[in-house]
């Protein structure tokens, strides 16, 4: 999940001692994480990837599924190791000055990419997930916790409206996650 139950409770103003709805809150956070990752067309969790491209791109850039790239452990073309490439880590791109030729039939990359999520963070390996993604998860969770169909709330002089433009994510959540969306 893009946040922990404890952090979400803190941001939502729920007492840390109140565990009555922890199961429901966990489900909402998992659903919010899934919706955000689906919208962004990527996973944010730090993991190992093995990508196979069956043809070169005829260009100098090879777009990988996961990013940011933490480490490329193996790069092969037609089963032969290569090292004449550079990584554009934050974009998940491998650059090769000579390009990725169209005749190169099997380009295989084994690499580690993604962010250390709050639930996976340790003192030795601190969280690297951007806070805006964590906040987006909590905001979407808050929307899911509301009564279905409610589009506005009023508390005293404060009025807040929530709209959904049909893609499943509220506008505030979209604005937070759009910089991390895979566009290609």
């Amino acid at each position: 999940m893009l946040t922990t139950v404890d952090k979400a409770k803190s941001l939502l103003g729920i007492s840390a001692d109140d565990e009555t709805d922890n199961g429901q809150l966990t489900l909402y956070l998992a659903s919010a994480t899934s919706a955000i990752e689906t919208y962004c067309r990527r996973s944010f969790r730090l993991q190992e990837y093995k990508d196979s491209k069956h043809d070169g791109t005829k260009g100098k850039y090879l777009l990988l599924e996961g990013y940011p790239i933490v480490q490329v452990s193996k790069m092969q073309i037609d089963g032969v190791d290569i090292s004449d490439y550079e990584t554009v880590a934050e974009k998940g791109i491998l650059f090769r000055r000579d390009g990725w030729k169209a005749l190169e039939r099997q380009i295989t990359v084994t690499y580690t990419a993604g962010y250390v999520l709050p639930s996976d963070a340790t003192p030795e390996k601190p969280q690297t997930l951007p806070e805006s993604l964590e906040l987006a998860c909590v905001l979407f969770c808050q929307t899911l916790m509301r009564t279905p169909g409610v589009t506005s709330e009023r508390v005293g002089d404060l009025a807040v409206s929530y709209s959904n433009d049909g893609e499943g994510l509220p506008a505030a959540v979209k604005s937070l996650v759009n910089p991390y969306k895979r566009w290609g």
Side-chain angles (χ1 to χ4, degrees):
M1 291 187 300
L2 296 179
T3 192
T4 63
V5 170
D6 290 339
K7 281 188 175 181
K9 286 168 79 171
S10 173
L11 289 169
L12 294 170
I14 300 170
S15 170
D17 298 331
D18 183 358
E19 296 185 7
T20 42
D21 294 326
N22 277 7
Q24 189 174 18
L25 186 58
T26 300
L27 179 62
Y28 287 141
L29 291 171
S31 296
T33 295
S34 178
I36 289 168
E37 288 184 338
T38 298
Y39 175 79
C40 290
R41 297 186 203 131
R42 61 184 281 207
S43 173
F44 293 104
R45 181 176 57 89
L46 183 66
Q47 58 189 317
E48 185 177 68
Y49 291 86
K50 184 171 182 173
D51 283 354
S52 291
K53 308 290 182 188
H54 297 285
D55 287 313
T57 61
K58 298 181 188 178
K60 295 185 181 220
Y61 300 95
L62 185 66
L63 184 66
L64 300 179
E65 177 185 347
Y67 63 97
I69 299 170
V70 175
Q71 175 187 12
V72 175
S73 53
K74 186 173 165 181
M75 177 65 166
Q76 293 183 324
I77 297 177
D78 294 328
V80 178
D81 290 343
I82 66 159
S83 60
D84 63 337
Y85 64 90
E86 299 170 31
T87 61
V88 184
E90 68 280 354
K91 300 289 185 187
I93 297 172
L94 297 181
F95 170 78
R96 191 172 183 213
R97 193 167 309 286
D98 294 336
W100 305 97
K101 297 174 181 68
L103 298 176
E104 294 170 331
R105 297 312 238 178
Q106 177 110 15
I107 300 171
T108 306
V109 187
T110 302
Y111 64 103
T112 304
Y115 299 105
V116 176
L117 300 182
S119 58
D120 299 330
T122 64
E124 300 81 34
K125 195 161 66 168
Q127 172 182 333
T128 58
L129 182 76
E131 289 178 342
S132 57
L133 288 170
E134 190 171 12
L135 177 60
C137 184
V138 174
L139 288 175
F140 193 43
C141 174
Q142 185 179 40
T143 301
L144 293 173
M145 292 169 62
R146 288 186 169 71
T147 306
V150 174
T151 58
S152 66
E153 291 183 42
R154 178 174 218 96
V155 179
D157 292 337
L158 178 65
V160 180
S161 296
Y162 300 91
S163 67
N164 184 341
D165 67 1
E167 287 196 46
L169 297 181
V173 173
K174 277 187 182 181
S175 68
L176 289 169
V177 303
N178 271 339
Y180 305 98
K181 184 174 182 178
R182 167 70 76 190
W183 295 101

